[in-house]
Amino acid sequence: MADKKKLNAPDWSGVKRVLVIVAHPDDADFTCAGTVMQMARQDIDVTYMILTNGDKGNHNPEITRNQLIAMRKIEQRRSAELCGVKQVLFMGEEDGFLQPTPVIRKRVTREIRRIRPELIICPHPDRYLVGDGYINHPDHRNAGLIALEAIFPAADNPMFYPDMMDEGYLPHKISQLYVSGHDEPNIEVDISADAERKVAAILCHVSQFDEPEKAADSWRKRWSETGPDGEPQVFERFKCMKFG
Ligand SMILES: [Zn+2]
C-alpha cells in the first residue's frame, strides 16, 4: 500500500472536461471507473479514448476478429454509460501492437485540442512489472507514452501541426495529469461507496471473463483495505502532475 502520509484528496475545482486515454476496452474500468463516477456526478464531462480495437482479447475460436471488435465497443459503451461517461472514442489501432508513432500522436493531439480537457488520466509508461505475477501489457505502457507525448510538447505548441490550426484545433494546455499505476501516487480517491458499481462496470466487458463472479471476488479481495475504524475501504490512486 502507498504511504498514506503523502496522499492528498483530489482537487477538481475548475475541471469541466476530463479525457481518459487507455489502450484497451476495459482498461479505464479497472484503473479509474470509481473516480470517473464521482467526476460525472459533479457534472464533469468525461470522454474515454480507447486507442486499440481490442481484437486480441478473446480465445474463443468461434468468434471472428470483427465480431470481437464490435462486441468490445458495445461492452465499453455500456460500462461508460454506467459510469456517466458522455463520449467514447475508439481510435482503432491494432491490439497488441500499439506504438507511439507520429501518426497516432497527431490523432491524439487533435482530440486533445478538440475536447480541451482540463484533466487527462492515462497509464504509467514506465510500468513493466506489476506485483509478483504480471508482466504489464506493452499496449498499456505505450498508451501512457502516446498520451504524454501528445500532451507535451505537441498539444499546446502552435508550431506543432500547423494544418490543425487551419482546421480550428487550437493549442491547448491541460492543468492536471493523473497517471494510474504509478509507484509513487500522491493523490487518492475514496471510491468505497462505488466499489460495487466499479465491479459492475468491469463486468460489462462480458467477452473478457469466463467466470465473472470468481473474478469479481478476486477484485474485491485485492482492492479492500481496512480504514481507521476497521471498516473496509477502496481507493483509486494516481500520480498527479499540475501545470501552471
Ligand atoms: Zn488492457
Side-chain angles (χ1 to χ4, degrees):
M1 198 198 305
D3 183 351
K4 287 290 239 180
K5 279 177 286 201
K6 291 183 191 155
L7 293 166
N8 299 310
D11 176 8
W12 300 332
S13 51
V15 175
K16 295 189 195 73
R17 287 175 298 273
V18 169
L19 176 62
V20 180
I21 301 175
V22 292
H24 309 119
D26 85 8
D27 288 354
D29 298 288
F30 274 111
T31 55
C32 61
T35 300
V36 162
M37 287 174 206
Q38 288 187 28
M39 289 171 161
R41 277 200 291 273
Q42 294 181 28
D43 282 332
I44 295 172
D45 211 322
V46 182
T47 298
Y48 281 173
M49 177 190 283
I50 316 296
L51 290 169
T52 77
N53 58 19
D55 74 351
K56 306 293 189 296
N58 197 290
H59 301 291
N60 182 346
E62 290 181 10
I63 297 174
T64 69
R65 181 174 169 273
N66 283 339
Q67 280 171 334
L68 182 59
I69 292 170
M71 278 167 68
R72 300 203 71 182
K73 280 186 181 172
I74 293 167
E75 292 168 353
Q76 183 65 83
R77 287 205 180 95
R78 212 168 269 157
S79 86
E81 198 180 335
L82 190 66
C83 298
V85 171
K86 294 275 169 60
Q87 186 180 202
V88 187
L89 306 172
F90 296 98
M91 304 300 273
E93 296 288 312
E94 186 178 358
D95 189 353
F97 294 93
L98 187 62
Q99 290 292 319
T101 62
V103 173
I104 188 70
R105 195 206 300 199
K106 183 173 184 180
R107 294 179 65 211
V108 173
T109 301
R110 180 186 279 115
E111 294 304 323
I112 293 172
R113 289 185 180 184
R114 181 178 70 82
I115 296 165
R116 314 190 78 69
E118 288 81 16
L119 191 156
I120 287 181
I121 303 177
C122 73
H124 186 24
D126 273 348
R127 195 184 201 200
Y128 283 80
L129 305 174
V130 182
D132 297 329
Y134 176 58
I135 297 170
N136 195 18
H137 196 300
D139 288 352
H140 297 165
R141 289 189 285 104
N142 285 327
L145 197 52
I146 290 164
L148 296 192
E149 291 181 349
I151 293 164
F152 183 85
D156 74 336
N157 185 334
M159 304 302 279
F160 275 77
Y161 314 127
D163 56 322
M164 223 183 272
M165 304 282 282
D166 298 338
E167 291 176 79
Y169 298 128
L170 304 179
H172 176 71
K173 186 174 180 177
I174 64 169
S175 52
Q176 292 189 61
L177 171 68
Y178 281 15
V179 178
S180 66
H182 199 283
D183 293 337
E184 293 177 5
N186 51 6
I187 63 156
E188 66 179 8
V189 183
D190 183 345
I191 65 151
S192 309
D194 290 314
E196 279 308 304
R197 211 172 169 81
K198 171 168 172 153
V199 168
I202 300 172
L203 290 181
C204 286
H205 300 273
V206 174
S207 65
Q208 300 304 293
F209 307 108
D210 294 332
E211 297 181 279
E213 272 317 311
K214 203 171 155 191
D217 280 341
S218 75
W219 305 327
R220 289 182 187 108
K221 270 198 205 93
R222 196 186 334 139
W223 300 342
S224 185
E225 297 176 20
T226 305
D229 301 320
E231 76 283 12
Q233 287 184 307
V234 180
F235 295 94
E236 287 173 346
R237 298 191 171 96
F238 307 93
K239 167 80 172 175
C240 172
M241 310 266 298
K242 290 188 175 177
F243 310 106

